């Protein structure tokens, strides 16, 4: 029993690094470097695979060139605003597809994002496919306030819409927290009702566990201390993107862009 209690205490302490509900404002800003990355090992069967070794070597070089302290320097320089948001939505012909992402809810349900029409990502009937989806991504707790600056006004603006989805996804890459028994315990600890069902549009809180390096590479995500906002159309294409804290002008472009997506056929 003592050992079980000790594991639970350790898990609760570790979960503070990942759950927005369990962070105080003072603890958010600068997590320790040891909390940022997890040890990785090449699978045994890949030891003789030259291509796999070269791929891993390139990854290690990339991660060494772009480390935690570079993210801190950028955050101090511009507060997480690594780029300005789009002023208008991206034309459909020029938009790229948002990569598939497996997420878990606190109640144990799993989902593959984006929910869209066409392709392998379809996991819902047509009536439940939204015309617009806002995906807010956080990799560290320091960016939760940034995400809130986008999601809260968005939720208010489209509270009565049945064709809009809003997801807040927290990424958890710690090997300990991704371990199945700890993962399930962590989800139970973080299980809370974030919305009371008063609006048609609900803020869906989800978590993605595991190694997200190649997912981040595909979306060109470098700084893990800022928030990333993606507006998707019904085909899962990225039609608008924002970063860091929202400005009034950027919020206006997000809301108008969402309204345009709702009018698209």
């Amino acid at each position: 029993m003592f050992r079980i209690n000790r594991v639970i205490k350790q898990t609760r302490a570790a979960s503070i690094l990942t759950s927005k509900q369990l962070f105080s404002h003072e603890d958010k800003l600068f997590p320790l470097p040891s909390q940022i990355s997890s040890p990785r090992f090449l699978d045994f069967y890949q030891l003789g695979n030259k291509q796999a070794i070269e791929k891993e070597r390139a990854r290690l070089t990339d991660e060494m060139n772009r480390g935690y302290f570079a993210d801190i320097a950028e955050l101090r320089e511009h507060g997480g605003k690594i780029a300005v948001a789009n002023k208008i939505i991206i034309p459909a012909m020029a938009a790229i597809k948002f990569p598939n992402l497996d997420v878990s809810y606190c109640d144990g349900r799993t989902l593959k994002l984006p929910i869209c029409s066409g392709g392998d990502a379809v996991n819902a009937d047509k009536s439940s496919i939204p015309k617009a989806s806002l995906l807010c991504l956080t990799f560290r707790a320091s960016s939760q306030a940034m995400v809130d600056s986008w999601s809260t006004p968005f939720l208010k603006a489209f509270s009565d819409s049945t064709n809009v989805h809003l997801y807040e996804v927290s990424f958890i890459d710690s090997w300990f927290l991704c371990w199945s028994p700890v993962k399930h315990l962590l989800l139970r600890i973080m299980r809370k009702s974030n919305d009371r069902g008063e609006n048609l549009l609900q803020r869906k809180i989800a978590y993605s566990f595991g190694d997200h390096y190649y997912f981040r590479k595909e979306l060109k995500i470098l700084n893990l201390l800022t928030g990333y906002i993606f507006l998707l159309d019904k085909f899962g294409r990225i039609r608008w993107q924002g970063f860091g804290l929202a400005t009034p002008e950027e919020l206006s472009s997000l809301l108008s862009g969402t309204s345009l997506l709702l009018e698209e056929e």
Side-chain angles (χ1 to χ4, degrees):
M1 180 61 71
F2 175 78
R3 181 175 299 176
I4 293 175
N5 290 336
R6 185 175 61 183
V7 171
I8 292 175
K9 289 179 180 179
Q10 291 173 342
T11 304
R12 286 178 175 171
S15 68
I16 294 176
L17 301 176
T18 57
S19 171
K20 70 173 186 177
Q21 294 95 339
L22 302 179
F23 278 86
S24 66
H25 178 73
E26 292 77 13
D27 293 332
K28 285 182 179 180
L29 204 50
F30 300 116
L32 296 175
S34 60
Q35 299 165 350
I36 296 302
S37 59
S38 303
R40 298 185 69 258
F41 301 95
L42 206 59
D43 293 339
F44 180 77
Y45 77 92
Q46 290 183 337
L47 291 177
N49 186 329
K50 184 177 180 180
Q51 184 177 2
I53 293 174
E54 290 298 327
K55 187 177 182 180
E56 188 68 12
R57 183 177 298 166
R59 170 178 176 154
L60 289 173
T61 301
D62 183 31
E63 290 183 326
M64 289 177 67
N65 289 336
R66 175 74 192 195
Y68 168 79
F69 292 105
D71 290 354
I72 286 290
E74 277 193 355
L75 191 67
R76 288 173 172 166
E77 180 181 353
H78 48 57
K81 182 67 72 176
I82 61 176
V84 296
N86 297 104
K87 293 184 177 180
I88 59 174
I89 61 173
I90 301 169
M93 295 298 293
I96 65 172
K97 183 77 162 46
F98 190 88
N100 291 346
L101 178 66
D102 294 317
V103 300
S104 300
Y105 291 125
C106 289
D107 60 6
R109 291 181 297 125
T110 59
L111 183 70
K112 186 182 291 291
L113 297 176
I115 296 178
C116 59
S117 176
D120 298 332
V122 173
N123 48 21
D125 59 79
K126 291 184 178 180
S127 63
S128 64
I129 295 175
K131 289 188 174 182
S133 299
L134 189 70
L135 271 61
C136 306
L137 312 183
T138 60
F139 294 86
R140 301 292 178 259
S142 58
S143 58
Q144 186 57 52
M146 303 177 192
V147 163
D148 291 341
S149 71
W150 299 95
S151 62
T152 300
F154 186 87
L155 184 67
K156 183 178 180 180
F158 297 100
S159 60
D160 296 327
S161 176
T162 58
N163 289 316
V164 178
H165 284 187
L166 169 60
Y167 299 92
E168 291 187 8
V169 182
S170 298
F171 289 80
I172 301 173
D173 53 11
S174 165
W175 68 269
F176 178 70
L177 297 178
C178 292
W179 182 39
S180 184
V182 178
K183 172 183 172 180
H184 293 308
L185 180 58
L186 181 61
L187 289 174
R188 289 181 59 186
I189 293 172
M190 294 188 293
R191 186 173 183 176
K192 287 185 178 181
S193 176
N194 294 281
D195 287 293
R196 301 298 182 182
E198 298 173 354
N199 303 322
L200 292 176
L201 174 61
Q202 300 294 305
R203 189 198 311 262
K204 298 177 177 65
I205 308 298
Y207 302 87
S208 184
F209 292 84
D211 180 18
H212 303 104
Y213 174 78
Y214 294 105
F215 172 84
R216 291 188 281 108
K217 287 285 286 185
E218 195 166 348
L219 290 176
K220 296 180 173 59
I221 292 175
L222 296 178
N223 195 314
L224 302 185
L225 301 181
T226 191
Y228 295 85
I229 315 299
F230 297 91
L231 179 65
L232 313 183
D233 62 17
K234 62 182 178 181
F235 296 105
R237 297 172 300 198
I238 301 172
R239 304 295 297 277
W240 184 96
Q241 185 174 1
F243 313 86
L245 285 169
T247 66
E249 294 78 13
E250 290 175 328
L251 274 176
S252 177
S253 68
L254 168 61
L255 300 182
S256 61
T258 304
S259 298
L260 289 175
L261 291 185
L262 293 176
E263 297 172 1
E264 286 188 349
E265 296 297 334

